[in-house]
Amino acid sequence: MLKRLLLSGFGVLIVGGIGFGIYAYKSPLPPITASERPEFSPEVIEKGRLLAAAGYCSECHTSENGAPYAGNYAMETGFGTIYASNLTPAMETGIGGYSVEAFRRAMKQGVDIDGRHLFPAFPYDHFTKMTDEDVAALYAYIMSEIAPVELETKEAEIPFPLNQRFLQAGWKMLFVDFGEYEGEQAQTSEWNRGAYLAEGVAHCGACHTPRNPLGAEIESQQYGGAQINGWTAPALTSENAAQVPWTAPDFAAYLKTGVSTYHGVSAGPMGPVVHDGIRALPDDDIDALSLYFAEISGGDAADPATSETVLASLERGRPNPLYRRELGERLYATACASCHYNAAQILAGRPDLGINSATNLDTSDNLVHVILDGVSGPEGIAGVVMPGFRGALTEADITAIAAYLRDERAGKPAWPDLVETVSRLSQTNTQSE
């Protein structure tokens, strides 16, 4: 009896292994020469340029001081370091030999021209929602406008067996819902356009959705907020920590200019997403994205300028003749208040730190990052720079300012690990990315 059971179990394993092998195998596709590429109209190439910007392709496929799209941008994952592929049309080390079909398979199925499964650091689980027409436009832009650069992509630094490509097929089987975006019948065409962009090419959930232990986005917590590169990507739902709800105009202003009057500026990893990415889209598309996220976050149409929260924060921010009594308040008054002071109303270029997103998040990382390194030119508002105070203020000074803002201005419970966070981030010497 036992022998029969063992043989049956062994047989099931054999059949399952064969079935998985058939599922995982993807045949190579024939490469093409540069002269075999189709010709594209200027309109299609321009459309591809906008989509490439919306997908921040250059950000993830360009290493520091490297040629655009030449790859080797290091992405730290929970499983090891993965280097972005060379996305230029170089024939030997880039994607110059890709046909439209091969490019589409890579984008929408996560399989390269040689039949190898791509690691999910490449967000094909989002790009699968794009239309074939948009993917073809992206291909047209890359093949027409990006200079070929022969540069070998570094091998991923992921331990065995996670570095085995065929196992990625199992990950896809478990976590990827392949197929183009299907509109919600109950929603308007503008809302569906925003959803298509957000869930597809812009892959907003890749940063703003928490992941499970195997690195897949947790579907039930879509846009619920996550950690990325040492920063907090805030929740884009009603769980957002902001004291003033995000409205569609707030989102639109943030995505077009890098600043929301009632929430702050696009610092950290979000800086290039706005300034080198989303803002390139036509206003209609940004408005559609804004409408979509405003509906998800639950923001209403009320004028924030008249809200009790804003008025109360303005009141708390007025100079207090007794301000010298507390170290944090005193330091804030001398180092910060000259720029972060508002009287009757809040100005976009003078974020009110009492209601600012960074002050209201569950972790202090974002606020401490900005105090240490400021907001540089590629971030925030174009032409407006906030200096960093790394080297000018001690860790104790920065801790005191952050504690004051959290307690007195935001009225939130103290961050229990604030001292450790300031110490940890002070030891790093990286400017915000």
Side-chain angles (χ1 to χ4, degrees):
M1 182 65 180
L2 178 59
K3 182 178 179 181
R4 183 176 300 171
L5 287 174
L6 289 174
L7 287 173
S8 297
F10 185 70
V12 169
L13 287 175
I14 293 294
V15 172
I18 293 174
F20 178 75
I22 294 173
Y23 170 78
Y25 175 75
K26 303 296 178 185
S27 61
L29 294 177
I32 63 172
T33 64
S35 62
E36 291 176 317
R37 293 175 197 149
E39 294 186 357
F40 310 101
S41 70
E43 292 77 16
V44 170
I45 294 172
E46 172 61 11
K47 181 180 181 181
R49 184 187 70 81
L50 297 179
L51 290 168
Y56 347 117
C57 304
S58 178
E59 290 303 312
C60 287
H61 287 274
T62 303
S63 64
E64 186 174 1
N65 301 321
Y69 288 83
N72 282 331
Y73 175 84
M75 291 180 279
E76 304 297 337
T77 74
F79 310 98
T81 303
I82 294 176
Y83 297 93
S85 302
N86 182 341
L87 207 60
T88 73
M91 297 304 297
E92 299 298 325
T93 57
I95 62 170
Y98 277 56
S99 62
V100 176
E101 179 188 6
F103 184 76
R104 183 169 58 240
R105 186 172 76 166
M107 289 286 293
K108 303 183 70 168
Q109 297 181 35
V111 179
D112 71 9
I113 192 171
D114 297 321
R116 302 185 311 162
H117 291 278
L118 301 176
F119 293 114
F122 179 67
Y124 54 78
D125 51 334
H126 288 274
F127 297 152
T128 186
K129 297 180 184 295
M130 297 175 65
T131 64
D132 288 351
E133 180 181 342
D134 280 355
V135 172
L138 192 55
Y139 174 86
Y141 167 67
I142 292 173
M143 295 300 176
S144 304
E145 299 297 316
I146 305 301
V149 177
E150 292 292 358
L151 180 65
E152 202 72 46
T153 301
K154 298 178 182 177
E155 288 294 328
E157 298 170 0
I158 297 178
F160 180 85
L162 299 178
N163 60 351
Q164 298 302 298
R165 297 274 183 174
F166 77 95
L167 290 181
Q168 309 309 315
W171 191 91
K172 294 175 181 177
M173 184 185 294
L174 291 172
F175 302 118
V176 182
D177 185 14
F178 288 107
E180 295 183 6
Y181 174 78
E182 296 181 1
E184 297 285 345
Q185 294 295 325
Q187 296 290 353
T188 64
S189 57
E190 185 180 17
W191 187 97
N192 274 306
R193 176 64 178 170
Y196 169 74
L197 292 169
E199 296 179 20
V201 67
H203 57 287
C204 304
C207 291
H208 288 274
T209 300
R211 295 177 181 271
N212 66 22
L214 293 178
E217 295 174 31
I218 302 174
E219 188 175 2
S220 61
Q221 299 179 38
Q222 186 184 32
Y223 303 128
Q227 295 294 311
I228 177 168
N229 294 344
W231 290 71
T232 297
L236 300 178
T237 66
S238 59
E239 298 298 317
N240 186 282
Q243 294 198 19
V244 179
W246 284 79
T247 64
D250 288 331
F251 276 114
Y254 185 82
L255 295 176
K256 292 175 183 177
T257 67
V259 60
S260 162
T261 300
Y262 301 100
H263 305 94
V265 299
S266 56
M270 193 63 190
V273 169
V274 171
H275 291 289
D276 299 331
I278 292 289
R279 66 181 301 181
L281 287 171
D283 282 355
D284 287 349
D285 278 347
I286 294 182
D287 290 342
L289 276 167
S290 303
L291 177 69
Y292 168 70
F293 280 119
E295 196 269 345
I296 288 177
S297 67
D300 56 37
D303 182 3
T306 62
S307 80
E308 293 182 0
T309 299
V310 170
L311 297 176
S313 188
L314 286 168
E315 180 62 29
R316 290 195 297 272
R318 290 197 173 90
N320 184 339
L322 301 177
Y323 72 89
R324 292 184 182 278
R325 64 185 177 183
E326 296 291 345
L327 175 62
E329 189 173 5
R330 185 170 69 250
L331 288 169
Y332 175 81
T334 55
C336 316
S338 59
C339 290
H340 288 282
Y341 171 68
N342 290 284
Q345 61 182 358
I346 298 174
L347 303 178
R350 296 176 180 270
D352 183 293
L353 299 184
I355 60 173
N356 190 272
S357 295
T359 315
N360 286 273
L361 290 170
D362 291 336
T363 68
S364 60
D365 295 52
N366 289 15
L367 180 62
V368 175
H369 269 302
V370 172
I371 295 175
L372 282 169
D373 297 319
V375 178
S376 60
E379 306 171 311
I381 312 173
V384 177
V385 173
M386 172 187 154
F389 290 89
R390 183 189 293 272
L393 295 174
T394 67
E395 292 183 16
D397 292 341
I398 294 172
T399 301
I401 292 174
Y404 158 71
L405 289 171
R406 178 72 171 179
D407 180 22
E408 297 294 329
R409 297 297 304 281
K412 291 290 186 70
W415 286 305
D417 58 349
L418 177 59
V419 173
E420 291 78 9
T421 299
V422 172
S423 176
R424 171 171 52 83
L425 296 182
S426 294
Q427 303 310 310
T428 63
N429 193 31
T430 57
Q431 298 289 322
S432 53
E433 297 177 344

